[in-house]
């Protein structure tokens, strides 16, 4: 999961060079994980426009509860976003294309900063 998320970050920073590689990586995933990663890509793009938390560089769709996928919608009630070396709770709902290759919509809510003392228990890192 982290590998594809890293590829997602490359897509955002160098879209022309990385788009084909991201598509190849997504095609290797099963539909559920492909949908999650498509939402991570869209989510990072949108969250970077939100000035409340700095510049996010990683989005995890499920830290204490996995994101759910129903065929066209990913619902992540307990995710986290990393920005400026801090983690924040985030929840989101994201719709994807029928092939799960692209996210169509991404609606989110940013929660409180997650205390550093909880990072290890939640699988988060610096």
């Amino acid at each position: 999961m982290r590998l594809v998320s890293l590829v997602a970050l490359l897509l955002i920073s160098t879209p022309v060079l990385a788009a084909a590689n991201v598509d190849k990586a997504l095609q290797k995933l099963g539909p559920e994980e492909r949908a999650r990663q498509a939402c991570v890509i869209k989510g990072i793009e949108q969250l970077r426009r939100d000035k409340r938390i700095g510049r996010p560089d990683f989005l995890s769709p499920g830290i204490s509860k996995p994101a759910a996928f129903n065929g066209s919608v990913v619902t992540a009630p307990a995710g986290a976003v990393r920005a400026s070396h801090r983690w924040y709770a985030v929840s989101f709902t994201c719709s994807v294309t029928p092939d799960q290759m692209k996210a169509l919509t991404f609606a989110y809510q940013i929660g409180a900063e997650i205390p550093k003392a909880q990072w290890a228990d939640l699988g988060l890192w610096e």
Side-chain angles (χ1 to χ4, degrees):
M1 185 162 122
R2 289 183 182 164
L3 175 62
V4 176
S5 296
L6 178 60
V7 173
L9 292 176
L10 289 173
L11 174 63
I12 293 164
S13 61
T14 57
V16 174
L17 300 174
N21 290 334
V22 170
D23 284 348
K24 285 180 185 177
L26 288 175
Q27 288 170 351
K28 292 178 183 178
L29 300 173
E32 188 169 336
E33 187 59 27
R34 185 169 51 241
R36 283 190 189 116
Q37 294 305 321
C39 290
V40 165
I41 292 167
K42 178 85 164 178
I44 288 289
E45 288 172 355
Q46 282 197 225
L47 286 160
R48 283 191 168 180
R49 293 184 203 120
D50 190 322
K51 303 302 180 198
R52 293 179 286 170
I53 60 170
R55 188 160 171 87
D57 63 357
F58 196 87
L59 175 62
S60 176
I63 55 170
S64 61
K65 181 179 180 181
F69 174 62
N70 77 356
S72 65
V73 175
V74 174
T75 304
V81 61
R82 185 176 70 179
S84 303
H85 305 287
R86 296 177 178 180
W87 285 95
Y88 299 88
V90 67
S91 61
F92 67 83
T93 302
C94 172
S95 65
V96 296
T97 57
D99 64 0
Q100 299 88 31
M101 292 293 290
K102 303 276 185 226
L104 301 171
T105 65
F106 185 88
Y108 66 94
Q109 292 185 336
I110 297 172
E113 183 176 344
I114 300 169
K116 194 169 188 174
Q118 295 176 6
W119 290 7
D121 292 338
L122 296 171
L124 304 175
W125 62 94
E126 194 144 346

